[in-house]
């Protein structure tokens, strides 16, 4: 079967075979304690699961599960417009690939090389008409940046997120990113808790508000701070000049027992009301319906991590394209059935009474 004729289910089955021993590619990736990947609390490696007991990973899923959408079948019939403009670039939908990096977490070169993974995410995102985000890992250096090579080769922009290394190192990565034609840059501010960076002796640091201001002033590009999980940090990031913050607990991989991202979005949006800082979100988005929930809670766009990993492992750039197009299809359906013709129509009004699960 040619890559062009693959279904998403076939992509996932391919990924399941390649990720044996790392990820079971469950139909419902909920991060529950019984899941195969959730073994760190028993002394296993972090892998693709969550830190400690895995509660933060599971809470991301639970938080979205508690949100219900209001069914609105009556009204004008129109094909929803899912497009938006982000950082000056028009994209097909407010759903993008999260900046996952470091393929050692999901099997290493025997599964997929870092170079192939970066190319798959960027090229697949470009084919789907969205911005591909790329991250940072312990193996990256100024002379080894496959993420920036992929963005430069793709020629359609991208977002480069750097771990909270030293200020000088971050600024040098920002400079390299500018030369590679990125759309925006940013820092995983919660990355000082990164299991892999610490395991491999790569120094990462907590950042102060003054540090954030210095980084914003070091580049003409929009600067994003990812890993915001409270109103206080959101305000400090906005006051430092952030173009956007990403509400995220790092996929549950840096601290146990945090709330789910969806639980935190409303307080962050409220805290940043009146500012020019966008609120994006990352955490357990598995379908376009999940994305619509995040936007109804106040986010402007969302990022997807684990499903993009599986898509890239399963079928490279084509797998990422197929996954992204599935997101757009389900997102458009969710908009249609909730009575939203454009993204401007999405608000908390489309949320139904929540139920505990």
């Amino acid at each position: 079967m040619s890559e062009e004729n693959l279904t998403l289910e076939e992509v996932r089955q391919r990924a399941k075979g390649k990720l044996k021993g790392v990820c079971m590619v469950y139909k419902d990736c909920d991060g529950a304690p019984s899941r195969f990947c959730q073994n760190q609390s028993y002394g296993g490696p972090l892998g693709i699961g969550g830190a400690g007991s895995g509660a933060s990973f599971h809470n991301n899923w639970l938080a979205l599960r508690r949100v219900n959408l209001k069914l609105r079948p009556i009204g004008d019939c129109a094909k929803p417009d899912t497009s938006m403009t982000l950082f000056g670039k028009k994209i097909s939908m407010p759903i993008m690939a999260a900046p996952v990096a470091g393929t050692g977490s999901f099997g290493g070169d025997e599964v997929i090389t870092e170079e192939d993974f970066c190319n798959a995410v960027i090229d697949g995102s470009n084919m789907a008409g969205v911005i591909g985000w790329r991250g940072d890992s312990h193996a990256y250096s100024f002379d080894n940046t496959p993420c920036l090579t992929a963005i430069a080769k793709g020629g359609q922009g991208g977002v480069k997120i750097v771990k909270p290394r030293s200020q000088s190192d971050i600024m040098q990565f920002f400079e390299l990113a500018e030369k590679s034609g990125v759309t925006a840059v940013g820092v995983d501010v919660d990355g000082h808790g990164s299991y892999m960076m610490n395991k491999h002796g790569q120094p990462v640091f907590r950042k102060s508000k003054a540090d954030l201001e210095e980084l914003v002033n070091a580049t003409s590009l929009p600067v994003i701070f990812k890993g915001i999980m409270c109103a206080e940090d959101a305000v400090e990031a906005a006051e430092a000049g952030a173009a956007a913050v990403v509400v995220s607990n790092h996929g549950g991989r840096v601290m146990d027992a945090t709330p789910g991202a969806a639980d935190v979005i409303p307080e962050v949006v409220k805290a940043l009301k009146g500012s020019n800082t966008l609120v994006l979100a990352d955490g357990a988005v598995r379908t376009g319906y999940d994305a619509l929930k995040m936007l109804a809670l106040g986010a402007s766009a969302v990022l997807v991590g684990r499903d993009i990993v599986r898509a890239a492992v399963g079928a490279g750039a084509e797998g990422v394209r197929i996954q992204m197009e599935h997101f757009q299809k389900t997102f458009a359906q969710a908009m249609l059935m909730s009575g939203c013709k454009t993204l401007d129509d999405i608000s908390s009004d489309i949320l139904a009474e929540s139920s505990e699960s």
Side-chain angles (χ1 to χ4, degrees):
M1 176 179 293
S2 69
E3 300 291 286
E4 291 82 4
N5 293 325
L6 285 172
T7 66
L8 181 56
E9 181 58 29
E10 288 164 340
V11 171
R12 289 172 62 84
Q13 286 303 312
R14 284 190 181 188
K16 185 173 183 178
K18 294 179 181 179
L19 290 168
K20 188 175 182 180
V22 178
C23 172
M24 295 296 288
V25 192
Y26 298 110
K27 286 186 178 296
D28 199 354
C29 177
D30 60 3
S34 61
R35 294 305 198 184
F36 177 83
C37 63
Q38 300 291 47
N39 62 1
Q40 198 187 35
S41 60
Y42 299 103
L46 180 59
I48 204 169
S53 69
S56 297
F57 176 5
H58 189 43
N59 286 344
N60 278 336
W61 181 86
L62 287 174
L64 272 176
R65 190 76 168 203
R66 287 191 292 266
V67 179
N68 291 322
L69 296 168
K70 188 182 296 182
L71 178 63
R72 291 290 309 277
I74 297 175
D76 295 338
C77 181
K79 181 179 180 181
D81 179 3
T82 64
S83 67
M84 71 175 296
T85 299
L86 183 66
F87 307 132
K89 180 179 175 66
K90 186 169 183 179
I91 56 178
S92 62
M93 59 180 166
I95 307 172
M96 296 164 285
V100 178
T103 57
S105 295
F106 40 95
D109 289 355
E110 292 184 6
V111 174
I112 188 171
T113 67
E114 189 73 19
E115 179 181 4
D116 286 345
F117 179 60
C118 289
N119 287 333
V121 173
I122 294 300
D123 293 344
S125 295
N126 288 344
M127 286 189 282
V130 294
I131 301 172
W133 292 47
R134 294 288 72 237
D136 191 6
S137 89
H138 65 89
Y140 283 19
S141 67
F142 303 130
D143 298 320
N144 178 41
T145 54
C147 53
L148 294 181
T149 301
I151 291 172
K153 183 168 64 71
Q156 297 182 45
V159 174
K160 167 60 177 172
I161 300 294
V162 185
K163 286 287 189 288
R165 300 168 181 258
S166 69
Q167 292 290 95
S168 60
D169 281 359
I170 293 173
M171 288 188 278
Q172 191 165 343
F173 273 115
F174 280 7
E175 184 178 350
L176 290 172
E178 285 190 47
K179 293 176 181 177
S180 300
V182 301
T183 309
V185 292
V187 178
D188 265 327
V189 291
D190 58 356
H192 62 83
S194 167
Y195 172 85
M196 294 301 286
M197 294 294 280
N198 289 306
K199 177 182 177 181
H200 291 274
Q202 284 281 8
V204 281
F205 309 91
R206 289 179 67 90
K207 297 299 180 184
S208 67
K209 182 180 177 181
D211 291 332
L212 303 188
E213 289 175 345
E214 183 179 37
L215 295 174
V216 168
N217 292 328
T219 178
S220 60
L221 292 168
V223 177
I224 304 157
F225 295 118
K226 182 176 178 287
I228 302 299
M229 285 293 288
C230 64
E232 299 93 324
D233 282 352
V235 169
E236 293 216 332
E239 290 178 349
V245 297
V246 182
V247 175
S248 169
N249 64 15
H250 215 97
R253 296 170 59 77
V254 295
M255 181 178 176
D256 203 357
T258 72
D263 284 335
V264 177
I265 294 171
E267 71 175 76
V268 170
V269 171
K270 182 179 179 181
L272 296 188
K273 186 176 182 179
S275 78
N276 294 320
T277 302
L278 294 175
V279 177
L280 312 182
D282 169 33
V285 173
R286 306 285 183 253
T287 68
Y289 294 95
D290 291 334
L292 184 63
K293 292 177 183 182
M294 292 285 210
L295 268 61
L297 290 169
S300 294
V302 302
L303 305 177
V304 181
R306 288 177 173 88
D307 272 339
I308 295 300
V309 168
R310 291 183 275 263
V313 168
E318 187 64 15
V320 173
R321 180 194 66 78
I322 291 167
Q323 177 68 72
M324 284 295 187
E325 290 184 354
H326 175 72
F327 282 137
Q328 185 171 24
K329 179 180 178 180
T330 55
F331 182 64
Q333 178 70 4
M335 286 181 64
L336 176 68
M337 298 311 296
S338 59
C340 299
K341 297 179 183 178
T342 71
L343 301 190
D344 289 338
D345 296 326
I346 300 172
S347 72
S348 59
D349 290 343
I350 70 167
L351 296 179
E353 183 110 10
S354 296
S355 61
E356 297 293 328
S357 62

